[in-house]
Amino acid sequence: MTNTASDFSAFCVAGTGSGDGKTTVTLGLLRALATRGVRVQPFKCGPDYIDPTFHNIATGQLSRNLDGWMMGTEQVEKSFAAASAGKSCAVVEGVMGLFDSSRPGTLKGSTAEICLTLELPVVLVVNARGMAGSIAAIAKGYAEFHPELKVAGVVANKVGSDNHARILKEALDMAGMPPLLGYLKRNDKWILPERHLGLVPSTENPKTGEWFDALASEAEQCFEIDKILELSRIDRPVFARDKVPVTADARLAVARDEAFHFYYEDNLNALRENGVELIEFSPLRDQLLPDNIGGIYIGGGFPESFAGELENNQAMREAIREFADMGGIVYAECGGFMYLAEKIIADGQTYEMCGVVPAEIDMGKQLRFLGYREVKTCCDSFFGPAGTVMRGHEFHWSSEVFTGKEHPAFHFRTASQSGFSGECGYINNNVLASYIHLHWASCPQVLKKFTASLCRRK
């Protein structure tokens, strides 16, 4: 990256693994900085949609995903620089453990890859429950595993007392390891409920402003925030906005409510920058689609948690089916794919859905798939010609059973496969849906084709 002045702090809150408290520590720092009046920009490593919604609440700023496998190095740098413009601090929350990646033997898709790409120092979160001197061994392993990665310090989570924190600090100091920069004591009120290997979304797990303020107050007392900012001074990334003439004139209806809210902010931003007006609507509450739209985009979420309400809103289900039957562009990902199906079967109950995709969705009791996908379109579509390649992420507990003719949308491969091994999704006329959350930074020409298709439809 090409950088200029050094009046900017940026760091990554990384962990030794999932569940170590990265999100809680990140939220405490974000809220404390925002309360101080610091212009702070949050980010999330990896494909996670839920953590960024908590970032948004903590700071009032839209959090951005940074993912080396899906986006590529250039797009990661561009997104970081663009979102950080005008800010005085950037805080990046890691994903899983610091060195966990798309497959063994590579850093691609890891938190470490993002830190190395953006030259970010690491604040390492360690679950210190029942631990004393061992924290020094853990810090040594992470600090020395990759010679180009800088661990600026450690934050201990689930600490038993102030005296316990003192012991941890001395252990790090005496071993010559990165310093203890803060700690959080064990306290059930800081716990964020989990579901399906991730947090319960903020829309279903509302934390009040008082909760964020209390967490920020704890961070001010127990974190050395000024020292963290000083240790994380880096050169400000230069952002040069692409001078692309915007000539599109299209309106896209975007589903947004408690049931559907998983979208990559960079994807939505890219649509706006290409001249697409995004009109939000609620499949839970609205009776009609927005007027004069060129297409519908239904993102992921947890429709199974709101299946009864979605079924009861028959007017919206019929409006979407009619729009699709008339040749309207309909694109859906994961939860949106489930909603377009004929039925969702969950906890022994069957719920009627849109009937646009000839399939029934069965909610399972265990994970069906979790990981990266690279896809190649099976036929021409509003994303481009057959053979168009894109990358994304897939994570679901449900599975589909087609009741009519299957029209697969994609050939796919995982991050560890060398060739495309199967078919997935559904495409028919102007309807395209799958379980995969695509990131269009992996194939920018898709956006131009999609925008042009929306304009023609209008």
Side-chain angles (χ1 to χ4, degrees):
M1 297 176 68
T2 303
N3 301 317
T4 55
S6 57
D7 59 345
F8 178 68
S9 292
F11 58 92
C12 178
V13 179
T16 57
S18 296
D20 51 16
K22 293 186 298 294
T23 301
T24 304
V25 170
T26 300
L27 294 178
L29 286 167
L30 287 173
R31 186 68 161 199
L33 290 167
T35 301
R36 286 185 175 195
V38 175
R39 300 187 310 279
V40 59
Q41 173 61 45
F43 296 90
K44 173 66 182 181
C45 290
D48 183 270
Y49 290 97
I50 298 175
D51 293 356
T53 64
F54 287 96
H55 297 176
N56 300 347
I57 298 171
T59 63
Q61 298 289 329
L62 291 174
S63 185
R64 305 300 181 93
N65 290 82
L66 302 172
D67 190 295
W69 194 88
M70 290 196 302
M71 300 170 66
T73 298
E74 182 179 345
Q75 290 296 327
V76 165
E77 291 179 339
K78 180 179 177 180
S79 179
F80 182 75
S84 297
K87 307 297 195 303
S88 53
C89 181
V91 179
V92 180
E93 180 185 350
V95 59
M96 299 176 67
L98 177 58
F99 296 104
D100 295 325
S101 60
S102 59
R103 67 178 188 275
T106 178
L107 291 180
K108 185 61 70 174
S110 70
T111 300
E113 179 193 19
I114 299 299
C115 294
L116 291 167
T117 297
L118 302 176
E119 301 176 8
L120 298 178
V122 172
V123 174
L124 183 69
V125 178
V126 177
N127 180 351
R129 182 166 190 159
M131 185 183 296
S134 295
I135 196 171
I138 292 174
K140 180 178 175 66
Y142 279 82
E144 298 180 2
F145 184 79
H146 196 292
E148 296 177 25
L149 195 66
K150 177 188 175 184
V151 176
V154 176
V155 168
N157 190 31
K158 299 187 178 179
V159 171
S161 65
D162 293 333
N163 187 56
H164 183 196
R166 178 186 59 78
I167 293 170
L168 298 170
K169 182 179 186 305
E170 290 178 357
L172 290 167
D173 291 344
M174 293 176 69
M177 289 296 102
L180 188 72
L181 296 175
Y183 61 94
L184 281 177
K185 296 177 187 176
R186 291 195 296 272
N187 191 330
D188 288 347
K189 75 179 180 181
W190 304 139
I191 295 175
L192 294 164
E194 296 188 1
R195 175 203 292 158
H196 297 343
L197 304 180
L199 298 181
V200 174
S202 59
T203 53
E204 299 178 57
N205 174 37
K207 292 295 184 181
T208 63
E210 289 77 10
W211 184 89
F212 283 94
D213 290 340
L215 182 58
S217 178
E218 187 81 1
E220 286 285 5
Q221 294 179 42
C222 299
F223 294 176
E224 296 188 57
I225 296 178
D226 290 332
K227 188 172 183 179
I228 291 173
L229 293 175
E230 185 60 35
L231 289 172
S232 62
R233 293 285 181 191
I234 69 170
D235 290 341
R236 180 181 295 278
V238 171
F239 170 57
R241 184 178 296 278
D242 293 338
K243 298 185 182 300
V244 178
V246 177
T247 58
D249 180 19
R251 288 161 56 92
L252 178 66
V254 179
R256 175 85 76 170
D257 56 22
E258 296 87 340
F260 305 101
H261 47 84
F262 292 174
Y263 298 95
Y264 292 125
E265 192 59 36
D266 278 353
N267 276 359
L268 299 180
N269 235 21
L271 284 166
R272 296 186 188 100
E273 290 176 356
N274 276 266
V276 179
E277 182 182 1
L278 306 183
I279 312 297
E280 294 186 358
F281 75 101
S282 170
L284 285 172
R285 287 178 287 276
D286 292 337
Q287 302 294 302
L288 300 172
L289 288 167
D291 294 332
N292 197 27
I293 56 173
I296 303 172
Y297 180 10
I298 310 175
F302 293 109
E304 69 276 13
S305 298
F306 301 91
E309 294 95 319
L310 292 170
E311 180 183 51
N312 289 338
N313 192 353
Q314 183 177 352
M316 177 54 70
R317 293 190 290 111
E318 290 179 351
I320 291 173
R321 184 166 61 249
E322 181 180 355
F323 185 83
D325 288 344
M326 293 176 64
I329 290 173
V330 182
Y331 172 59
E333 298 173 327
C334 202
F337 173 48
M338 297 165 64
Y339 179 53
L340 290 185
E342 294 172 343
K343 299 175 182 179
I344 290 179
I345 304 169
D347 297 325
Q349 299 291 318
T350 299
Y351 302 93
E352 297 294 327
M353 293 292 117
C354 294
V356 174
V357 175
E360 295 181 356
I361 305 297
D362 181 32
M363 284 302 304
K365 299 297 184 183
Q366 61 185 8
L367 185 65
R368 300 296 176 94
F369 188 83
L370 169 63
Y372 289 118
R373 293 283 208 199
E374 185 169 62
V375 300
K376 181 170 62 174
T377 53
C378 294
C379 59
D380 296 349
S381 71
F382 49 72
F383 280 162
T388 298
V389 176
M390 295 171 278
R391 286 186 168 187
H393 187 265
E394 185 174 339
F395 176 31
H396 55 94
W397 289 49
S398 64
S399 61
E400 79 276 29
V401 176
F402 284 100
T403 59
K405 182 174 176 55
E406 296 183 36
H407 297 271
F410 303 121
H411 303 288
F412 71 85
R413 73 177 184 90
T414 65
S416 60
Q417 292 175 321
S418 58
F420 293 93
S421 61
E423 297 175 332
C424 65
Y426 175 83
I427 185 169
N428 189 25
N429 296 323
N430 275 339
V431 174
L432 194 157
S434 79
Y435 274 116
I436 301 169
H437 300 274
L438 295 172
H439 202 301
W440 296 329
S442 64
C443 188
Q445 61 266 35
V446 162
L447 199 60
K448 292 180 171 49
K449 175 64 175 176
F450 187 35
T451 300
S453 298
L454 291 171
C455 291
R456 284 198 298 274
R457 169 62 193 171
K458 178 182 178 183

